[in-house]
Amino acid sequence: MNEVLRQEKKFLINQKQLYRLSYYFSQVMQEDPHNGVDGYQIRSIYFDTLLDRDFQEKEDGTEIRRKIRLRNYGPKSDFGVLEMKQKQGAYQKKRSLKIRKEDAIQLLKGNYSVLLTYDEPFAIEMFGFMNIHCYRPKAVVEYKRKAFIAKENKIRITFDHNLIATESNFDIFSTELLQYPVFPSALVILEVKYNGFLLSYIKDLLKSVNESELSVSKYTLSRGVSKHYCY
């Protein structure tokens, strides 16, 4: 089980800024080894209660809230990552557990008992939590991510683009998942994640986008595009 507690800031940028900032960050930070030319693929399926409690708390701006998702890195992935993100004031707490592909498929079917086969307190906690509150799959979101890493303060810079989603098919391991755009292709979500404080050279690089800081959730974007797209 992996656990991180950090601050997160999000900015809306365009493709030109993506290429310019990617170049600058590549000169001063380490590239994620999975980046490639365009970045790497991420698929996330979000779970919610029968009455969409987590979705509504995000819409209402509830200060302490959570999201539960199962993530992989495209249909060829041989594993999944179960995550719980908890918003606590200015901080985001994320706990995650890598699970076998066959167990991830069972979670998609609502069979959470497979979590009991993992010798991790977080797995047992998630088994109880998702059953008690009747969590069910709600939406899949897929996008390309380019990431840069600095060891100091566990700083991570990510650029997410080409967001597509579906609420009709939850098989994140499928090669034939039909999805639709949920964000303009010309726009990119820049996320800055760090513990403690940002280093000055990263602050300087971000000065050109400081005025476009936003609060946007990929989960809410997937649940009714026209209503929940805002920046």
Side-chain angles (χ1 to χ4, degrees), residues 24-219:
Y24 290 144
F25 282 126
S26 70
Q27 303 304 301
V28 296
M29 299 177 71
Q30 179 182 345
E31 282 204 42
D32 188 299
H34 302 98
N35 269 353
V37 176
D38 263 344
Y40 56 94
Q41 183 181 17
I42 293 179
R43 275 185 181 175
S44 295
I45 182 163
Y46 288 86
F47 295 78
D48 209 334
T49 66
L50 296 178
L51 297 179
D52 291 341
R53 181 184 65 184
D54 297 351
F55 173 84
Q56 195 58 54
E57 287 182 348
K58 169 63 179 177
E59 290 289 276
D60 295 342
T62 304
E63 185 168 351
I64 299 177
R65 58 183 185 267
R66 70 190 57 76
K67 285 184 291 189
I68 294 176
R69 67 190 180 199
L70 177 66
R71 171 170 291 185
N72 70 12
Y73 297 92
K76 295 182 180 179
S77 295
D78 59 0
F79 66 92
V81 181
L82 180 63
E83 298 180 338
M84 176 187 278
K85 289 189 71 174
Q86 295 168 276
K87 173 76 171 175
Q88 300 176 343
Y91 288 87
Q92 293 271 4
K93 179 180 179 181
K94 185 176 79 170
R95 292 180 291 165
S96 57
L97 176 70
K98 184 176 179 179
I99 63 175
R100 296 175 290 270
K101 177 179 179 179
E102 56 267 29
D103 294 335
I105 292 172
Q106 288 301 309
L107 294 186
L108 301 178
K109 298 177 180 179
N111 178 17
Y112 306 139
S113 63
V114 294
L115 294 173
L116 299 177
T117 65
Y118 292 84
D119 188 22
E120 290 282 354
F122 177 63
I124 298 172
E125 176 188 341
M126 291 299 288
F127 166 76
F129 189 84
M130 295 177 76
N131 275 297
I132 289 171
H133 297 285
C134 297
Y135 272 79
R136 294 293 182 268
K138 296 289 183 169
V140 174
V141 179
E142 180 179 327
Y143 51 94
K144 283 290 189 73
R145 165 169 287 181
K146 198 164 191 178
F148 299 88
I149 305 161
K151 293 181 180 178
E152 300 86 355
N153 296 336
K154 297 183 178 179
I155 297 172
R156 186 171 174 84
I157 307 290
T158 61
F159 298 91
D160 296 339
H161 55 100
N162 293 343
L163 275 70
I164 54 178
T166 181
E167 296 178 80
S168 61
N169 186 339
F170 302 137
D171 184 3
I172 58 174
F173 295 96
S174 172
T175 58
E176 300 178 351
L177 198 59
L178 296 177
Q179 299 177 88
Y180 50 85
V182 294
F183 209 62
S185 59
L187 299 180
V188 179
I189 299 173
L190 163 61
E191 294 189 31
V192 183
K193 308 168 187 182
Y194 60 98
N195 291 354
F197 60 92
L198 272 178
L199 300 178
S200 58
Y201 70 88
I202 294 180
K203 283 185 177 180
D204 290 341
L205 289 174
L206 292 172
K207 282 181 180 178
S208 64
V209 297
N210 275 345
E211 294 183 359
S212 60
E213 187 173 348
L214 75 157
S215 175
V216 65
S217 163
K218 297 181 182 74
Y219 174 43

